Coordinates of all heavy atoms in Angstrom, one line a residue:
M19 N 0.9 -1.2 0.0 CA 0.0 0.0 0.0 C 0.9 1.2 0.0 O 1.8 1.3 0.8 CB -0.9 -0.1 1.3 CG -1.7 1.1 1.5 SD -2.9 1.0 2.9 CE -1.9 0.3 4.2
F20 N 0.7 2.1 -0.9 CA 1.5 3.3 -1.1 C 0.6 4.5 -1.1 O -0.4 4.5 -1.8 CB 2.4 3.2 -2.3 CG 3.4 4.3 -2.4 CD1 4.6 4.2 -1.8 CD2 3.1 5.5 -3.2 CE1 5.6 5.2 -1.9 CE2 4.1 6.5 -3.3 CZ 5.3 6.4 -2.6
S21 N 1.0 5.6 -0.4 CA 0.2 6.8 -0.4 C 1.0 7.9 -1.2 O 2.1 8.3 -0.9 CB 0.0 7.3 1.0 OG -0.5 8.6 1.0
R22 N 0.3 8.5 -2.2 CA 0.9 9.6 -2.9 C 0.9 10.8 -2.0 O 1.8 11.6 -2.0 CB 0.1 9.9 -4.2 CG 0.3 8.9 -5.3 CD -0.4 9.3 -6.5 NE -1.0 8.1 -7.1 CZ -2.0 8.1 -7.9 NH1 -2.6 9.1 -8.2 NH2 -2.4 6.9 -8.3
E23 N -0.2 10.9 -1.2 CA -0.3 12.1 -0.3 C 0.9 12.2 0.7 O 1.4 13.2 1.0 CB -1.6 12.0 0.5 CG -1.9 13.2 1.4 CD -3.2 13.0 2.1 OE1 -4.0 12.1 1.8 OE2 -3.4 13.9 3.0
Y24 N 1.3 11.0 1.2 CA 2.3 11.0 2.2 C 3.7 10.5 1.6 O 4.6 10.4 2.3 CB 1.9 10.1 3.4 CG 0.7 10.6 4.1 CD1 -0.5 9.9 4.0 CD2 0.7 11.8 4.8 CE1 -1.7 10.3 4.6 CE2 -0.5 12.3 5.4 CZ -1.6 11.5 5.3 OH -2.8 12.0 5.9
S25 N 3.7 10.2 0.3 CA 4.9 9.7 -0.3 C 5.6 8.6 0.5 O 6.8 8.7 0.8 CB 5.9 10.8 -0.6 OG 5.3 11.7 -1.5
N26 N 4.8 7.6 0.9 CA 5.3 6.7 1.9 C 4.7 5.3 1.7 O 3.6 5.2 1.3 CB 5.0 7.2 3.3 CG 5.8 6.6 4.4 OD1 6.7 5.8 4.1 ND2 5.5 7.0 5.6
L27 N 5.5 4.3 2.0 CA 4.9 2.9 2.0 C 4.1 2.8 3.3 O 4.5 3.1 4.4 CB 6.0 1.9 2.0 CG 5.6 0.4 2.2 CD1 4.8 0.0 0.9 CD2 6.7 -0.5 2.4
L28 N 2.8 2.5 3.1 CA 1.9 2.4 4.3 C 1.6 1.0 4.8 O 1.2 0.9 5.9 CB 0.5 3.1 3.9 CG 0.6 4.5 3.5 CD1 -0.8 5.0 3.2 CD2 1.2 5.4 4.5
G29 N 1.9 0.0 4.0 CA 1.6 -1.3 4.5 C 2.2 -2.4 3.7 O 2.8 -2.1 2.7
Y30 N 2.0 -3.6 4.2 CA 2.5 -4.7 3.5 C 1.6 -5.9 3.7 O 0.8 -6.0 4.6 CB 3.9 -5.1 4.0 CG 3.9 -5.5 5.5 CD1 3.8 -6.8 5.8 CD2 4.0 -4.5 6.5 CE1 3.7 -7.2 7.1 CE2 3.9 -4.9 7.8 CZ 3.8 -6.2 8.2 OH 3.7 -6.6 9.5
S31 N 1.8 -6.9 3.0 CA 1.2 -8.2 3.3 C 2.2 -9.3 2.7 O 2.8 -9.1 1.7 CB -0.2 -8.4 2.6 OG -0.1 -8.3 1.2
S32 N 2.3 -10.4 3.4 CA 3.1 -11.5 3.0 C 2.2 -12.6 2.6 O 1.0 -12.4 2.4 CB 4.1 -11.9 4.1 OG 3.3 -12.4 5.2
Q33 N 2.7 -13.8 2.5 CA 1.9 -14.9 2.0 C 0.6 -15.0 2.7 O -0.5 -15.2 2.1 CB 2.7 -16.2 2.2 CG 1.9 -17.5 1.7 CD 1.6 -17.5 0.2 OE1 2.2 -16.8 -0.5 NE2 0.6 -18.3 -0.1
N34 N 0.6 -15.0 4.1 CA -0.7 -15.0 4.8 C -0.7 -14.2 6.1 O -1.4 -14.6 7.0 CB -1.0 -16.5 5.1 CG -0.1 -17.2 6.1 OD1 1.0 -16.7 6.3 ND2 -0.5 -18.2 6.7
T35 N 0.1 -13.1 6.1 CA 0.1 -12.2 7.3 C 0.0 -10.8 6.8 O 0.6 -10.4 5.8 CB 1.4 -12.4 8.1 OG1 1.5 -13.8 8.4 CG2 1.3 -11.5 9.3
L36 N -0.9 -10.0 7.4 CA -1.0 -8.6 7.0 C -0.6 -7.7 8.1 O -0.6 -8.1 9.3 CB -2.4 -8.3 6.5 CG -3.6 -8.4 7.5 CD1 -3.8 -7.1 8.2 CD2 -4.8 -8.9 6.8
G37 N -0.1 -6.5 7.7 CA 0.3 -5.5 8.7 C 0.4 -4.2 8.0 O 0.2 -4.0 6.8
N38 N 0.6 -3.1 8.8 CA 0.8 -1.8 8.2 C 1.7 -0.9 9.1 O 1.9 -1.2 10.2 CB -0.6 -1.1 8.1 CG -1.3 -0.9 9.4 OD1 -0.9 -0.2 10.2 ND2 -2.4 -1.6 9.5
R39 N 2.2 0.1 8.5 CA 3.1 1.1 9.2 C 2.6 2.4 8.7 O 3.2 3.0 7.7 CB 4.5 0.8 8.8 CG 5.0 -0.5 9.1 CD 5.8 -0.5 10.4 NE 6.4 -1.8 10.6 CZ 6.4 -2.5 11.7 NH1 5.9 -1.9 12.8 NH2 7.0 -3.6 11.8
L40 N 1.6 3.0 9.3 CA 1.1 4.3 8.8 C 1.8 5.4 9.5 O 2.1 5.4 10.7 CB -0.4 4.4 9.1 CG -1.3 3.4 8.4 CD1 -2.7 3.6 8.9 CD2 -1.3 3.7 6.9
P41 N 2.2 6.5 8.8 CA 2.7 7.7 9.4 C 1.6 8.3 10.3 O 0.4 8.1 10.0 CB 3.1 8.6 8.3 CG 2.3 8.1 7.1 CD 2.1 6.7 7.3
K42 N 2.0 8.9 11.4 CA 1.0 9.4 12.4 C -0.1 10.3 11.7 O -1.2 10.2 12.1 CB 1.7 10.2 13.5 CG 0.9 10.4 14.7 CD 1.7 10.8 15.9 CE 0.9 10.7 17.1 NZ 1.7 10.8 18.3
Q43 N 0.3 11.1 10.7 CA -0.6 12.0 10.1 C -1.7 11.2 9.3 O -2.7 11.8 8.9 CB 0.0 13.1 9.2 CG 0.8 12.5 8.0 CD 2.2 12.3 8.3 OE1 2.6 11.9 9.4 NE2 3.1 12.4 7.3
A44 N -1.5 10.0 9.0 CA -2.4 9.2 8.2 C -3.4 8.4 9.2 O -4.4 7.8 8.7 CB -1.7 8.2 7.3
W45 N -3.2 8.4 10.5 CA -4.0 7.7 11.4 C -5.4 8.3 11.4 O -5.6 9.5 11.2 CB -3.5 7.8 12.8 CG -2.2 7.1 13.0 CD1 -1.4 6.4 12.1 CD2 -1.4 7.1 14.2 NE1 -0.3 5.9 12.7 CE2 -0.2 6.3 14.0 CE3 -1.6 7.6 15.5 CZ2 0.7 6.1 15.0 CZ3 -0.7 7.4 16.5 CH2 0.5 6.6 16.2
G46 N -6.4 7.4 11.6 CA -7.8 7.9 11.7 C -8.5 8.1 10.3 O -9.6 8.6 10.3
N47 N -7.8 7.8 9.2 CA -8.4 8.0 7.9 C -8.9 6.7 7.3 O -9.3 6.7 6.1 CB -7.4 8.6 6.9 CG -7.0 10.0 7.3 OD1 -7.9 10.8 7.5 ND2 -5.8 10.3 7.5
C48 N -9.0 5.6 8.0 CA -9.5 4.3 7.6 C -8.6 3.6 6.6 O -9.0 2.7 5.9 CB -10.9 4.4 7.1 SG -12.1 4.9 8.4
Y49 N -7.4 4.1 6.3 CA -6.5 3.5 5.4 C -6.2 2.0 5.8 O -6.3 1.1 5.0 CB -5.2 4.2 5.2 CG -5.2 5.6 4.7 CD1 -4.5 6.6 5.3 CD2 -6.0 5.9 3.6 CE1 -4.6 7.9 4.8 CE2 -6.0 7.2 3.0 CZ -5.3 8.2 3.6 OH -5.4 9.5 3.1
A50 N -5.9 1.8 7.0 CA -5.5 0.5 7.5 C -6.7 -0.5 7.4 O -6.6 -1.6 7.0 CB -5.0 0.5 9.0
T51 N -7.9 0.0 7.8 CA -9.1 -0.8 7.7 C -9.4 -1.2 6.3 O -9.7 -2.4 5.9 CB -10.3 -0.1 8.3 OG1 -10.0 0.2 9.7 CG2 -11.5 -1.0 8.3
E52 N -9.4 -0.2 5.4 CA -9.7 -0.5 3.9 C -8.6 -1.5 3.3 O -9.0 -2.4 2.6 CB -9.8 0.8 3.1 CG -11.0 1.6 3.5 CD -12.3 0.8 3.3 OE1 -12.5 0.2 2.2 OE2 -13.1 0.8 4.2
A53 N -7.4 -1.2 3.6 CA -6.3 -2.1 3.1 C -6.5 -3.5 3.6 O -6.3 -4.5 2.9 CB -5.0 -1.5 3.4
A54 N -6.8 -3.6 4.9 CA -6.9 -5.0 5.5 C -8.1 -5.7 4.9 O -8.1 -6.9 4.7 CB -7.1 -4.8 7.0
K55 N -9.2 -5.0 4.7 CA -10.4 -5.6 4.1 C -10.1 -6.1 2.7 O -10.4 -7.3 2.3 CB -11.5 -4.6 3.9 CG -12.3 -4.3 5.2 CD -13.4 -3.3 4.9 CE -14.0 -2.8 6.1 NZ -15.0 -1.7 5.8
H56 N -9.4 -5.3 1.9 CA -9.0 -5.7 0.6 C -8.0 -6.9 0.6 O -8.0 -7.8 -0.3 CB -8.4 -4.5 -0.2 CG -9.5 -3.6 -0.6 ND1 -10.4 -3.8 -1.6 CD2 -9.7 -2.3 -0.2 CE1 -11.2 -2.8 -1.7 NE2 -10.8 -1.9 -0.9
T57 N -7.1 -6.9 1.5 CA -6.1 -8.0 1.7 C -6.8 -9.3 2.0 O -6.5 -10.3 1.4 CB -5.1 -7.6 2.7 OG1 -4.4 -6.4 2.4 CG2 -4.1 -8.8 2.9
L58 N -7.8 -9.2 2.9 CA -8.5 -10.5 3.2 C -9.3 -11.0 2.0 O -9.2 -12.1 1.7 CB -9.5 -10.2 4.4 CG -9.0 -10.2 5.8 CD1 -10.1 -10.0 6.8 CD2 -8.2 -11.5 6.1
N59 N -10.0 -10.0 1.3 CA -10.7 -10.4 0.2 C -9.8 -11.0 -0.9 O -10.1 -12.1 -1.5 CB -11.4 -9.2 -0.4 CG -12.3 -9.5 -1.6 OD1 -13.1 -10.5 -1.6 ND2 -12.2 -8.7 -2.6
H60 N -8.7 -10.4 -1.2 CA -7.8 -10.9 -2.2 C -7.2 -12.3 -1.8 O -7.1 -13.2 -2.6 CB -6.6 -9.9 -2.4 CG -5.7 -10.3 -3.5 ND1 -5.9 -10.3 -4.8 CD2 -4.4 -10.9 -3.4 CE1 -4.9 -10.7 -5.5 NE2 -4.0 -11.1 -4.6
G61 N -6.8 -12.4 -0.5 CA -6.2 -13.6 -0.1 C -7.2 -14.8 -0.1 O -6.8 -15.9 -0.5
F62 N -8.4 -14.5 0.2 CA -9.4 -15.6 0.2 C -10.0 -15.9 -1.2 O -10.2 -17.0 -1.6 CB -10.6 -15.3 1.2 CG -10.2 -15.3 2.6 CD1 -10.9 -14.6 3.6 CD2 -9.2 -16.2 3.1 CE1 -10.5 -14.6 4.9 CE2 -8.8 -16.2 4.4 CZ -9.5 -15.4 5.4
N63 N -10.3 -14.8 -1.9 CA -11.0 -15.0 -3.2 C -10.1 -15.2 -4.4 O -10.5 -15.9 -5.3 CB -12.0 -13.8 -3.4 CG -13.1 -13.7 -2.4 OD1 -13.6 -14.8 -1.9 ND2 -13.3 -12.5 -1.9
Q64 N -8.9 -14.6 -4.4 CA -8.0 -14.7 -5.5 C -6.9 -15.8 -5.3 O -6.6 -16.5 -6.2 CB -7.4 -13.4 -5.9 CG -8.4 -12.3 -6.1 CD -9.4 -12.5 -7.1 OE1 -9.0 -13.0 -8.2 NE2 -10.6 -12.2 -6.9
L65 N -6.4 -15.8 -4.1 CA -5.3 -16.7 -3.8 C -5.8 -18.0 -3.1 O -5.0 -18.9 -3.0 CB -4.3 -16.0 -2.9 CG -3.6 -14.7 -3.4 CD1 -2.7 -14.1 -2.4 CD2 -2.9 -15.0 -4.7
H66 N -7.0 -18.0 -2.7 CA -7.6 -19.2 -2.1 C -6.9 -19.7 -0.9 O -6.8 -20.9 -0.7 CB -7.8 -20.3 -3.2 CG -8.5 -19.9 -4.4 ND1 -9.8 -19.6 -4.5 CD2 -8.0 -19.6 -5.7 CE1 -10.1 -19.2 -5.7 NE2 -9.0 -19.2 -6.4
L67 N -6.4 -18.7 -0.1 CA -5.8 -19.0 1.2 C -6.8 -19.6 2.1 O -8.0 -19.1 2.1 CB -5.1 -17.8 1.8 CG -4.0 -17.2 1.0 CD1 -3.5 -15.9 1.7 CD2 -2.8 -18.2 0.8
K68 N -6.4 -20.5 3.0 CA -7.4 -21.1 3.9 C -7.5 -20.2 5.2 O -8.5 -20.2 5.8 CB -6.9 -22.5 4.3 CG -7.0 -23.5 3.2 CD -6.5 -24.9 3.6 CE -6.6 -25.8 2.5 NZ -6.2 -27.1 2.8
E69 N -6.4 -19.5 5.5 CA -6.3 -18.7 6.7 C -5.4 -17.5 6.5 O -4.4 -17.6 5.7 CB -6.0 -19.5 7.9 CG -4.6 -20.2 7.8 CD -4.3 -21.1 8.9 OE1 -5.2 -21.6 9.6 OE2 -3.1 -21.5 9.1
I70 N -5.7 -16.4 7.2 CA -4.8 -15.3 7.2 C -4.6 -14.8 8.6 O -5.6 -14.7 9.4 CB -5.4 -14.1 6.3 CG1 -5.5 -14.6 4.9 CG2 -4.5 -12.9 6.4 CD1 -6.2 -13.6 3.9
F71 N -3.4 -14.6 9.0 CA -3.0 -14.1 10.3 C -2.9 -12.6 10.3 O -2.4 -12.0 9.3 CB -1.8 -14.7 10.8 CG -1.9 -16.2 11.0 CD1 -1.6 -17.1 10.0 CD2 -2.3 -16.7 12.3 CE1 -1.7 -18.5 10.3 CE2 -2.4 -18.0 12.5 CZ -2.2 -18.9 11.5
G72 N -3.2 -12.0 11.4 CA -2.9 -10.5 11.6 C -2.1 -10.4 12.9 O -2.4 -11.1 13.9
K73 N -1.1 -9.5 12.9 CA -0.3 -9.3 14.1 C -0.3 -7.8 14.5 O -0.3 -7.0 13.6 CB 1.1 -9.8 13.9 CG 1.3 -11.2 13.6 CD 2.7 -11.5 13.3 CE 3.0 -12.9 12.8 NZ 4.4 -13.2 12.5
A74 N -0.3 -7.5 15.8 CA -0.2 -6.2 16.2 C 0.6 -6.1 17.5 O 0.5 -7.1 18.3 CB -1.6 -5.6 16.5
H75 N 1.3 -5.1 17.7 CA 2.0 -4.9 19.0 C 0.9 -4.8 20.1 O -0.1 -4.2 19.9 CB 2.8 -3.6 19.0 CG 4.0 -3.7 18.2 ND1 4.8 -2.5 17.8 CD2 4.7 -4.7 17.6 CE1 5.8 -2.9 17.1 NE2 5.8 -4.2 17.0
A76 N 1.2 -5.5 21.2 CA 0.2 -5.6 22.2 C -0.4 -4.3 22.7 O -1.5 -4.2 23.1 CB 0.8 -6.4 23.4
E77 N 0.4 -3.3 22.7 CA -0.1 -2.0 23.2 C -0.7 -1.1 22.1 O -1.2 0.0 22.3 CB 1.1 -1.2 23.9 CG 2.1 -0.6 22.9 CD 3.1 -1.6 22.4 OE1 3.2 -2.7 22.8 OE2 3.9 -1.2 21.5
N78 N -0.7 -1.6 20.9 CA -1.2 -0.8 19.7 C -2.7 -1.0 19.6 O -3.2 -1.8 18.7 CB -0.4 -1.1 18.4 CG -0.8 -0.2 17.3 OD1 -1.8 0.4 17.3 ND2 0.2 -0.1 16.4
I79 N -3.5 -0.3 20.3 CA -5.0 -0.4 20.3 C -5.6 -0.2 18.9 O -6.5 -0.9 18.5 CB -5.6 0.5 21.4 CG1 -5.0 0.2 22.8 CG2 -7.1 0.4 21.4 CD1 -5.2 -1.2 23.2
G80 N -5.0 0.8 18.2 CA -5.5 1.1 16.9 C -5.5 -0.1 15.9 O -6.4 -0.4 15.2
S81 N -4.3 -0.7 15.9 CA -4.1 -1.9 15.0 C -5.0 -3.0 15.5 O -5.5 -3.8 14.7 CB -2.6 -2.3 15.0 OG -1.9 -1.3 14.3
I82 N -5.1 -3.2 16.8 CA -5.9 -4.3 17.3 C -7.4 -4.1 16.9 O -8.1 -5.0 16.5 CB -5.8 -4.4 18.8 CG1 -4.4 -4.9 19.1 CG2 -6.9 -5.3 19.4 CD1 -4.0 -4.8 20.6
N83 N -7.8 -2.8 17.0 CA -9.2 -2.5 16.6 C -9.4 -2.7 15.1 O -10.5 -3.2 14.7 CB -9.5 -1.0 16.9 CG -9.7 -0.8 18.4 OD1 -9.9 -1.7 19.2 ND2 -9.5 0.5 18.8
V84 N -8.4 -2.5 14.3 CA -8.6 -2.7 12.8 C -8.8 -4.2 12.6 O -9.7 -4.6 11.9 CB -7.4 -2.2 12.0 CG1 -7.3 -2.8 10.6 CG2 -7.4 -0.7 12.0
L85 N -7.9 -5.0 13.2 CA -8.0 -6.5 13.0 C -9.4 -7.0 13.5 O -10.0 -7.9 12.9 CB -6.9 -7.2 13.8 CG -5.5 -6.9 13.2 CD1 -4.4 -7.5 14.1 CD2 -5.3 -7.3 11.8
E86 N -9.9 -6.5 14.6 CA -11.2 -6.9 15.1 C -12.3 -6.4 14.2 O -13.3 -7.1 13.9 CB -11.4 -6.4 16.5 CG -10.5 -7.1 17.5 CD -10.6 -6.5 18.9 OE1 -11.0 -5.3 19.1 OE2 -10.2 -7.2 19.9
K87 N -12.2 -5.2 13.7 CA -13.2 -4.6 12.8 C -13.4 -5.4 11.6 O -14.5 -5.4 11.0 CB -12.8 -3.1 12.5 CG -13.9 -2.3 11.9 CD -13.5 -0.9 11.5 CE -13.0 -0.1 12.7 NZ -12.7 1.3 12.3
I88 N -12.3 -6.0 11.0 CA -12.5 -6.7 9.8 C -12.8 -8.2 10.0 O -12.8 -9.0 9.1 CB -11.2 -6.6 8.9 CG1 -10.0 -7.2 9.6 CG2 -10.9 -5.2 8.5 CD1 -8.8 -7.4 8.7
G89 N -13.1 -8.5 11.3 CA -13.6 -9.8 11.6 C -12.6 -10.9 12.0 O -12.9 -12.0 12.2
M90 N -11.4 -10.4 12.3 CA -10.4 -11.4 12.7 C -10.6 -11.7 14.2 O -11.0 -10.9 15.0 CB -9.0 -10.9 12.5 CG -8.7 -10.6 11.0 SD -7.0 -10.3 10.6 CE -6.4 -11.9 10.3
Q91 N -10.2 -12.9 14.6 CA -10.4 -13.4 16.0 C -9.1 -13.5 16.7 O -8.1 -14.0 16.1 CB -11.1 -14.8 16.0 CG -12.4 -14.8 15.3 CD -13.4 -13.9 16.0 OE1 -13.6 -13.9 17.2 NE2 -14.1 -13.1 15.3
F92 N -9.0 -12.9 17.9 CA -7.8 -13.0 18.7 C -7.5 -14.5 19.0 O -8.5 -15.2 19.4 CB -7.9 -12.2 20.0 CG -6.8 -12.5 21.0 CD1 -5.6 -11.9 20.8 CD2 -7.0 -13.3 22.1 CE1 -4.6 -12.1 21.6 CE2 -6.0 -13.5 23.0 CZ -4.7 -12.9 22.7
I93 N -6.3 -15.0 18.8 CA -6.0 -16.4 19.1 C -4.9 -16.5 20.2 O -4.9 -17.5 20.9 CB -5.6 -17.2 17.9 CG1 -4.4 -16.6 17.1 CG2 -6.8 -17.4 17.0 CD1 -3.9 -17.5 16.1
K94 N -4.0 -15.6 20.3 CA -2.9 -15.8 21.3 C -2.1 -14.5 21.4 O -2.1 -13.6 20.6 CB -2.0 -16.9 21.0 CG -1.1 -16.7 19.7 CD -0.2 -17.9 19.5 CE 0.6 -17.7 18.3 NZ 1.5 -18.9 18.0
E95 N -1.3 -14.5 22.6 CA -0.3 -13.5 22.7 C 1.0 -14.2 22.5 O 1.2 -15.4 22.7 CB -0.3 -12.9 24.2 CG -1.6 -12.1 24.4 CD -1.6 -11.5 25.8 OE1 -0.7 -11.8 26.7 OE2 -2.5 -10.7 26.1
A96 N 2.0 -13.4 21.9 CA 3.3 -14.0 21.6 C 4.3 -12.9 21.7 O 4.0 -11.8 22.1 CB 3.3 -14.6 20.2
T97 N 5.6 -13.3 21.4 CA 6.7 -12.3 21.4 C 7.4 -12.4 20.0 O 7.6 -13.5 19.6 CB 7.7 -12.6 22.5 OG1 7.0 -12.5 23.8 CG2 8.8 -11.6 22.5
E98 N 7.6 -11.3 19.4 CA 8.3 -11.3 18.1 C 9.3 -10.1 18.2 O 9.0 -9.0 18.5 CB 7.3 -11.0 17.0 CG 7.8 -11.2 15.6 CD 6.7 -11.2 14.6 OE1 6.1 -12.2 14.4 OE2 6.4 -10.1 14.1
D99 N 10.5 -10.5 17.9 CA 11.6 -9.5 18.0 C 11.7 -8.8 19.3 O 11.8 -7.6 19.5 CB 11.5 -8.4 16.9 CG 11.6 -9.0 15.5 OD1 12.4 -10.0 15.3 OD2 10.9 -8.5 14.6
N100 N 11.5 -9.6 20.4 CA 11.5 -9.2 21.8 C 10.4 -8.2 22.1 O 10.5 -7.4 23.0 CB 12.9 -8.5 22.2 CG 14.0 -9.6 22.1 OD1 13.8 -10.7 22.6 ND2 15.1 -9.2 21.6
C101 N 9.3 -8.2 21.3 CA 8.2 -7.3 21.5 C 6.9 -8.1 21.7 O 6.6 -9.0 20.9 CB 8.1 -6.4 20.3 SG 6.8 -5.2 20.4
P102 N 6.1 -7.8 22.7 CA 4.9 -8.5 22.9 C 3.9 -8.2 21.8 O 3.7 -7.0 21.5 CB 4.4 -8.1 24.3 CG 5.1 -6.8 24.6 CD 6.4 -6.8 23.8
I103 N 3.3 -9.2 21.2 CA 2.3 -9.0 20.1 C 1.0 -9.8 20.4 O 1.0 -10.7 21.3 CB 2.8 -9.4 18.8 CG1 3.2 -10.9 18.7 CG2 4.0 -8.6 18.4 CD1 3.4 -11.5 17.3
K104 N 0.0 -9.4 19.8 CA -1.3 -10.2 19.8 C -1.5 -10.7 18.4 O -1.2 -10.0 17.4 CB -2.4 -9.3 20.2 CG -2.3 -8.8 21.6 CD -3.6 -8.3 22.2 CE -3.4 -7.9 23.6 NZ -4.6 -7.7 24.3
V105 N -1.9 -12.0 18.3 CA -2.0 -12.6 17.0 C -3.5 -12.9 16.8 O -4.2 -13.4 17.7 CB -1.2 -13.9 16.9 CG1 -1.4 -14.6 15.6 CG2 0.2 -13.7 17.3
F106 N -4.0 -12.6 15.6 CA -5.4 -12.8 15.2 C -5.4 -13.7 14.0 O -4.5 -13.9 13.2 CB -6.0 -11.4 14.8 CG -6.2 -10.5 16.0 CD1 -5.1 -9.8 16.6 CD2 -7.4 -10.3 16.6 CE1 -5.2 -9.0 17.6 CE2 -7.6 -9.5 17.7 CZ -6.5 -8.8 18.2
L107 N -6.6 -14.3 13.8 CA -6.8 -15.2 12.7 C -8.1 -15.0 12.0 O -9.1 -14.8 12.7 CB -6.7 -16.7 13.2 CG -7.0 -17.8 12.2 CD1 -5.9 -17.9 11.2 CD2 -7.1 -19.1 13.0
A108 N -8.1 -15.1 10.7 CA -9.4 -15.2 9.9 C -9.3 -16.4 9.0 O -8.3 -16.8 8.4 CB -9.5 -13.9 9.0
I109 N -10.4 -17.2 9.0 CA -10.5 -18.4 8.3 C -11.4 -18.1 7.1 O -12.4 -17.4 7.1 CB -11.3 -19.5 9.1 CG1 -10.5 -19.8 10.4 CG2 -11.4 -20.8 8.3 CD1 -9.2 -20.4 10.3
N110 N -10.9 -18.6 5.9 CA -11.7 -18.4 4.7 C -13.0 -19.1 4.8 O -13.2 -20.3 4.9 CB -10.9 -19.1 3.5 CG -11.4 -18.7 2.2 OD1 -12.6 -18.4 2.0 ND2 -10.6 -18.8 1.1
P111 N -14.1 -18.2 4.7 CA -15.5 -18.8 4.8 C -15.9 -19.6 3.6 O -16.9 -20.3 3.6 CB -16.3 -17.5 4.9 CG -15.5 -16.5 4.2 CD -14.1 -16.8 4.5
L112 N -15.1 -19.6 2.5 CA -15.4 -20.3 1.3 C -14.8 -21.7 1.3 O -15.1 -22.5 0.3 CB -14.9 -19.5 0.0 CG -15.5 -18.1 -0.1 CD1 -14.8 -17.4 -1.2 CD2 -17.0 -18.1 -0.2
Q113 N -14.1 -22.0 2.3 CA -13.4 -23.4 2.3 C -13.8 -24.1 3.5 O -14.1 -23.7 4.6 CB -11.9 -23.2 2.3 CG -11.4 -22.7 1.0 CD -9.9 -22.7 0.8 OE1 -9.2 -23.2 1.7 NE2 -9.4 -22.2 -0.3

C-alpha cells in the first residue's frame, strides 16, 4: 500500500500475514481498515488461502481495533523481535 499524499509505504502483506506502518498523520483515515479488508478479500477470493493471520504490537490499540473490525479473531499473545504482540486469525469462509 503506497500513499501519494504521504509519499510513503503504508503497509505490506506477505503470504498469509498482513500488517501496516502508517505515518501518524495518516491515522484515523481508515487506510488500515480498507487495506486490511482488501487484503482479506484478495487472499481468500483470488489466492484461495485457507487462513490469514494478523499481528499487532500488544499496546497498539488502533491496530488491534482494525483487526477486530475486519472480523479477525484473537488467538494468542506472543513475542516477536523481543516485543509482545497479539495474533489474530481469519478463516476463509469459502473453504
